[in-house]
Amino acid sequence: MPKPEILITGSLMPLVHEQLSAAYTTHSLPAGDAADDVLNAVADEIRGIAGSPARGIGANLMDRLPRLEIIANYGVGYDNIDVPHAAARNIIVTNTPDVLSEEVADAAIGLMIMTARELSAAERWLRAGKWKKGYPLTRGTLRGKRLGIFGLGRIGRAIAVRAQAMGMEICYHNRTRVRDVPYPYCSSLRELASHCDVLLCAAPGGEATRGLINAEIFQALGAEGIFINIGRGTTVDEPALVAALQDRTIMAAGLDVFENEPHVPQELMDMDHVVLLPHMASASVHTRNAMAQLLVDNLIGWFENGAPLTPVAETPWPRK
Ligand code: NAP
Ligand code: 8YV
């Protein structure tokens, strides 16, 4: 039996390249026009994709690969993949749930504290030699504040546990009420925003959430409110966020994700009451290796045992 052929769509952790090339025939998909040369040579043989989230996997690419069986995504979010198209073609999509939840929750809490207590601005102040001038007391605090989580899933729950231990009250909004948590449920995002002091987005991206956090939500969050995003930038109406920060509709924001990464609007860069991170919430060697191993194990599970480990809900295994 010839070895399955796998297309690797971007630069992934070394263990992915090492383990996949030991077991399968692998091909790296270069950027730009060179991609066509690779596809022209190998497209008919590709049975699996090891997918980098930096690259979209749309219907066009899938349809150039007539034998494609599985797309293993390097990330829990899979809004970079046209999953309805994959499902229609019976292509399994897998992601990397759970193994990154605690790391991302740590980063979310760090970002929330940095934003409320102006830690980045204070460090810039010190480095500028201004210590003796005395950094102004921060208006922001987490003492006595309520955290509103938009997207109380695996990561949202890990954030809630941490925030509760810090003395914060928690409330949340999902489409579906979660039965096994003690936190109050808000039946809409608007209700959540008006009910909390810190609004934190840990919801997936994609069409279902596109632009939901908009001017009306920032208005409801209010002038003492803080917005934190570790979900996806597409969930936010970014110009509305810029405006809400510029005219102080809200107090501050901490952002790990942006609408058109790696582009960050200059207006955000120019404001001191915004903390900006380069989409790094899961980015430790420990956690990225765990994600990489799960990606590999999904491909091995499929090709060796006929069962992926963590298929996404839209492409369940066994098939329904
Ligand atoms: P998850 O367990 O599936 O949780 C997602 C939560 O969002 C669920 O509770 C879901 O509840 C809710 N939700 C989904 N669509 C919604 C909608 N339209 N309106 C309201 N709530 C909605 O996923 P997870 O593992 O926690 O990951 C969440 C997301 O975090 C990922 O999809 C990814 O985008 C992001 N992420 C970012 C980083 C980073 O580096 N910044 C790292 C990892 C993950 P319902 O289905 O009941 O609505
Ligand atoms: C990573 C993420 O940044 O898992 C996700 O959904 O957004 C992050 O863990 C990404 O997947 C790897 O580049």
Side-chain angles (χ1 to χ4, degrees), residues 23 26 48 83 98 111 124 136 138 159 164 188 227 230 249 300 303:
T26 60
V83 178
D98 297 318
L111 183 55
R124 288 194 290 275
T138 66
I159 293 168
Q164 203 174 28
S188 71
F227 174 61
I230 58 95
T249 298
I300 291 176
F303 288 114

Side-chain angles (χ1 to χ4, degrees), residues 53 74-77 96 100 104 231-232 279 282 288 291:
Y74 179 56
V76 69
T96 62
L100 46 54
V104 175
R232 281 290 182 267
H279 196 151
S282 70
R288 287 290 172 85
M291 293 161 62

Side-chain angles (χ1 to χ4, degrees), residues 200-236:
L200 187 152
C201 172
E207 289 317 306
T209 55
R210 186 175 295 281
L212 287 185
I213 302 175
N214 57 22
E216 186 197 352
I217 301 303
F218 294 125
Q219 198 72 48
L221 183 57
E224 298 299 310
I226 292 175
F227 174 61
I228 304 295
N229 195 3
I230 58 95
R232 281 290 182 267
T234 51
T235 304
V236 177

Side-chain angles (χ1 to χ4, degrees), residues 172-296:
Y172 75 98
H173 172 68
N174 284 354
R175 289 166 300 186
T176 319
R177 186 191 291 257
V178 181
R179 296 286 161 198
D180 63 343
V181 296
Y183 320 124
Y185 175 68
C186 295
S187 59
S188 71
L189 174 55
R190 197 184 179 291
E191 184 190 329
L192 180 73
S194 56
H195 200 62
C196 70
D197 305 292
V198 179
L199 176 66
L200 187 152
C201 172
E207 289 317 306
T209 55
R210 186 175 295 281
L212 287 185
I213 302 175
N214 57 22
E216 186 197 352
I217 301 303
F218 294 125
Q219 198 72 48
L221 183 57
E224 298 299 310
I226 292 175
F227 174 61
I228 304 295
N229 195 3
I230 58 95
R232 281 290 182 267
T234 51
T235 304
V236 177
D237 176 343
E238 213 164 64
L241 172 60
V242 168
L245 286 161
Q246 283 175 332
D247 67 13
R248 306 278 172 171
T249 298
I250 63 171
M251 181 161 52
L255 310 170
D256 185 47
V257 287
F258 302 88
E259 189 175 359
N260 295 309
E261 295 173 9
H263 170 73
V264 178
Q266 190 59 44
E267 295 94 327
L268 291 176
M269 300 267 208
D270 290 343
M271 286 186 272
D272 231 17
H273 54 307
V274 188
V275 179
L276 304 168
L277 298 179
H279 196 151
M280 60 167 294
S282 70
S284 67
V285 173
H286 170 89
T287 292
R288 287 290 172 85
N289 273 337
M291 293 161 62
Q293 191 61 58
L294 184 50
L295 176 155
V296 170

Side-chain angles (χ1 to χ4, degrees), residues 6 20 24 64 118 126 155 161 181 208 222 233 246 261 268 290 319:
I6 309 286
L20 291 183
Y24 308 115
R64 287 202 60 182
E118 303 175 16
L126 179 153
I155 293 170
V161 167
V181 296
Q246 283 175 332
E261 295 173 9
L268 291 176
R319 289 195 176 99

